[in-house]
Amino acid sequence: MPTVHLLDYVAGNVRSLANAIEKCGYTVDFVRSPEDVSRAEKLILPGVGHFGHCMSQLAGAGYLPAVRAHIDAGKPFMAICVGLQALFEGSVEDPAAPGLGLIKGKLDRFSDTQKSVPHIGWNSANTHGKSLYDLRPESKYYYVHSYKYPYKEGELEEQGWTVATGTYGGEVFVGAVAKNNVLATQFHPEKSGVAGLRVIKAFLTDGGAKTLGQEITGPAPTGGLTSRIIACLDVRTNDQGDLVVTKGDQYDVREKGSDGNVRNLGKPVELAKKYYEQGADEVTFLNITSFRDCPLADLPMLEILRRTSETVFVPLTIGGGIRDTVDTDGTKVSALEIATMYFKSGADKVSIGSDAVLAAEEYYAVGKKLFGNTAIEQISKAYGNQAVVVSVDPKRVYVPKTDATRHNTIRTRFPGPKGDEYCWYACTIKGGRETRDIDVVELVQAVEAMGAGEILLNCIDKDGTNSGFDLELIELVKSSILIPVIASSGAGNPGHFEEVFDKTRADAALGAGIFHREEYTVKQVKDYLAEKGFEVRQFEGEL
């Protein structure tokens, strides 16, 4: 098979990009030194995280002159996400860090006055009737970024670039650019399903370069950001030692009855692939087994990620056990090192649960000060805040009036068993088994300050009930922070997904048991939402 060189400068999940390249029929050769760049015919620069961190890593390792020489020589070059941003002169994310300057202009940040930032999810890449590496108006592509280059009609085109644009909350930004031998995408093609694989293939085969900028006709572009549907798989070992997907009823994963076995709803890798092919926009694995006696390098979840990322080309999140720990041989291992292992195995995001609650308690205890030592801070600094999800497990505590507690209360439409009309949401740890004296508003505001990029908002009261999401909880959290919120717990039918997107500002909605028990498929939920007028992404079949 022909070879493409991939420049891995610790840019997060490059395994999925390598898998996508191999899916397109090419072999990946990893660049380990600037000298390797000179031997590359086709070069891909991936990127996640902080603009300044990316540029300093490339500069410190001596890659920048080699990359520039590759481009100047007319050899095919592709840049992804922060890789695209690196082609500009600079970014307000780190004004002191110069970019490559291949494109005139500097990036700015999305406004967060009326929308969540980062921009996370599936959006369009509108080429305005020009051919650009098989980008299609009816397709959606996966974006995850806080900084962007604002599109001004004709500006980049006058520099010779063909441009695709996206729109988020009224702001039009550059989604992809191409010129001569260079292609750059703000979205992640390796995480954009078949639509993204087509872009990669058009680059690898040179087909995209040959038709670049030609006038094309086709369907009108679809709308903007979609309503994201996420499939969640709770993974643990059963009593026979097999790794299975299970589902709790208010966090109890054992069957009712005399045997009390762990509910076995299927195998993780096979289920993840099934949900991907049904159109799931993301797949989340929550590891609810500790694997205490297993060396970290042999964690079963690492193998699940590796195998899943070979066939599932949408974002993968992994949660469970991402904390400072000690390996079986006595070696101390940081949360950042464990996260790095997951990223290298195919994860795009890590989810932190109980440790986030404890870190938030410490944050308030010292007067809302940050010292850079929490798992959230360390991982977000290295990989960007979009790589860190905080999973929250709150439950209702009813009170007769607002001054009965110091916590953030709401007046609820669903009074408690004693008729109390107010409640606050207490955060829990250890899988809901231990309640802490910190409320959900305090928690999400603390982790946002630490650098979390997204909240996975569960609800113990709703878990396994099939009665719909806790809309009051979701709106309470959305009104308290600026980062995206994923609604979780309680989905029992497609109407519940419509309800959460219609009546709250949730950025995404997650389903588990509804899909595992095959009551509804992901496709059925999406078809229902589309009928109700919501923008959704559909699975596009095989490459």
Side-chain angles (χ1 to χ4, degrees):
M1 290 192 293
T3 299
V4 60
H5 284 73
L6 185 58
L7 203 167
D8 178 15
Y9 59 97
V10 193
N13 176 16
V14 294
R15 175 175 286 272
S16 290
L17 179 55
N19 288 338
I21 292 168
E22 290 169 357
K23 177 80 172 176
C24 294
Y26 279 67
T27 299
V28 175
D29 194 347
F30 286 97
V31 171
R32 304 297 184 190
S33 70
E35 291 72 32
D36 290 344
V37 175
S38 63
R39 293 191 289 271
E41 180 56 33
K42 292 180 170 66
L43 179 65
I44 298 181
L45 174 66
V48 297
H50 192 274
F51 177 87
H53 178 72
C54 167
M55 298 311 302
S56 64
Q57 289 284 101
L58 292 171
Y63 282 121
L64 293 180
V67 169
R68 191 64 197 241
H70 178 96
I71 295 171
D72 291 344
K75 295 180 178 180
F77 175 78
M78 182 178 184
I80 296 170
C81 196
V82 179
L84 171 142
Q85 297 181 7
L87 300 184
F88 287 85
E89 294 173 309
S91 171
V92 297
E93 186 173 17
D94 190 339
L100 280 167
L102 196 67
I103 308 175
K104 293 187 175 78
K106 292 188 177 183
L107 295 104
D108 61 20
R109 190 177 190 272
F110 280 114
S111 168
D112 56 20
T113 55
Q114 293 183 313
K115 60 182 180 293
S116 300
V117 177
H119 168 221
I120 297 179
W122 297 77
N123 209 327
S124 301
N126 181 9
T127 65
H128 307 279
K130 301 285 187 181
S131 174
L132 204 170
Y133 286 84
D134 213 1
L135 290 176
R136 299 185 184 181
E138 69 274 20
S139 294
K140 296 292 185 180
Y141 304 89
Y142 182 74
Y143 294 86
V144 52
H145 59 123
S146 299
Y147 296 84
K148 48 69 171 137
Y149 190 75
Y151 178 70
K152 306 176 189 70
E153 188 175 354
E155 179 192 37
L156 297 183
E157 290 87 346
E158 289 177 3
Q159 298 180 41
W161 295 93
T162 301
V163 183
T165 61
T167 303
Y168 180 47
E171 295 187 79
V172 183
F173 62 92
V174 172
V177 292
K179 176 183 176 182
N180 300 328
N181 56 313
V182 176
L183 165 66
T185 64
Q186 180 63 70
F187 60 84
H188 284 270
E190 77 281 12
K191 288 291 155 185
S192 297
V194 172
L197 293 177
R198 284 197 299 261
V199 175
I200 294 173
K201 188 171 184 178
F203 169 76
L204 296 174
T205 61
D206 298 325
K210 291 175 182 175
T211 60
L212 180 63
Q214 293 179 4
E215 297 284 342
I216 56 174
T217 57
T222 56
L225 191 66
T226 67
S227 299
R228 261 189 299 158
I229 303 297
I230 300 172
C232 181
L233 291 75
D234 290 339
V235 180
R236 66 160 289 165
T237 51
N238 62 13
D239 298 323
Q240 291 72 45
D242 300 318
L243 212 57
V244 300
V245 174
T246 189
K247 185 68 188 79
D249 180 0
Q250 295 188 312
Y251 289 34
D252 179 4
V253 299
R254 292 192 175 273
E255 298 282 11
K256 309 302 181 190
S258 57
D259 55 8
N261 286 329
V262 172
R263 291 188 188 91
N264 181 352
L265 299 174
K267 296 181 179 180
V269 176
E270 286 79 356
L271 280 179
K273 185 172 186 287
K274 181 174 83 169
Y275 297 145
Y276 165 66
E277 292 175 347
Q278 289 177 4
D281 295 315
E282 299 182 26
V283 175
T284 294
F285 293 105
L286 296 181
N287 168 19
I288 57 175
T289 303
S290 63
F291 303 115
R292 289 185 185 88
D293 300 321
C294 180
L296 290 175
D298 296 328
L299 280 178
M301 290 306 301
L302 296 176
E303 181 61 20
I304 284 177
L305 283 169
R306 283 191 283 264
R307 289 175 54 200
T308 301
S309 67
E310 292 173 359
T311 58
V312 175
F313 298 100
V314 296
L316 302 176
T317 300
I318 174 70
I322 299 159
R323 62 174 67 91
D324 295 343
T325 189
V326 178
D327 208 346
T328 52
D329 64 358
T331 304
K332 291 183 178 180
V333 184
S334 70
L336 175 58
E337 290 172 307
I338 292 173
T340 298
M341 291 168 61
Y342 282 131
F343 291 138
K344 287 185 175 180
S345 298
D348 301 282
K349 312 178 198 178
V350 293
S351 177
I352 299 174
S354 296
D355 277 37
V357 178
L358 302 178
E361 291 175 343
E362 179 67 18
Y363 170 76
Y364 289 112
V366 298
K368 298 185 179 180
K369 294 179 182 176
L370 296 173
F371 301 99
N373 60 336
T374 65
I376 296 171
E377 291 169 273
Q378 292 176 14
I379 298 168
S380 64
K381 182 179 179 181
Y383 293 103
N385 63 350
Q386 81 292 330
V388 182
V389 180
V390 169
S391 181
V392 186
D393 297 321
K395 63 180 181 180
R396 288 188 172 215
V397 178
Y398 285 96
V399 291
K401 51 188 179 179
T402 57
D403 59 5
T405 177
R406 70 166 186 85
H407 292 291
N408 293 279
T409 60
I410 62 166
R411 185 166 189 169
T412 176
R413 294 183 293 114
F414 308 99
K418 296 180 180 179
D420 294 328
E421 294 184 354
Y422 296 89
C423 72
W424 62 280
Y425 289 89
C427 293
T428 66
I429 61 174
K430 301 178 181 177
R433 296 188 300 276
E434 183 178 319
T435 304
R436 308 292 291 191
D437 188 28
I438 182 172
D439 66 57
V440 70
V441 172
E442 292 172 320
L443 176 59
V444 297
Q445 289 179 342
V447 299
E448 181 180 47
M450 292 174 198
E454 208 167 16
I455 299 296
L456 172 52
L457 185 58
N458 307 298
C459 178
I460 292 179
D461 309 288
K462 285 286 191 174
D463 184 63
T465 65
N466 295 337
S467 61
F469 299 94
D470 189 329
L471 307 182
E472 294 177 334
L473 169 63
I474 295 162
E475 266 308 288
L476 174 65
V477 170
K478 279 296 295 183
S479 65
S480 305
I481 53 175
L482 299 173
I483 58 178
V485 173
I486 301 166
S488 176
S489 304
N493 60 62
H496 291 148
F497 289 90
E498 177 197 10
E499 183 180 51
V500 77
F501 288 125
D502 184 49
K503 295 184 178 180
T504 79
R505 292 168 289 160
D507 299 276
L510 179 149
I514 182 177
F515 301 138
H516 305 332
R517 294 186 294 267
E518 299 185 333
E519 295 160 355
Y520 296 93
T521 65
V522 177
K523 186 178 188 306
Q524 285 174 320
V525 169
K526 286 192 157 187
D527 287 346
Y528 180 88
L529 289 173
E531 290 173 7
K532 297 296 181 179
F534 291 89
E535 189 81 16
V536 296
R537 177 195 72 96
Q538 296 290 4
F539 183 68
E540 294 193 42
E542 285 298 317
L543 181 64

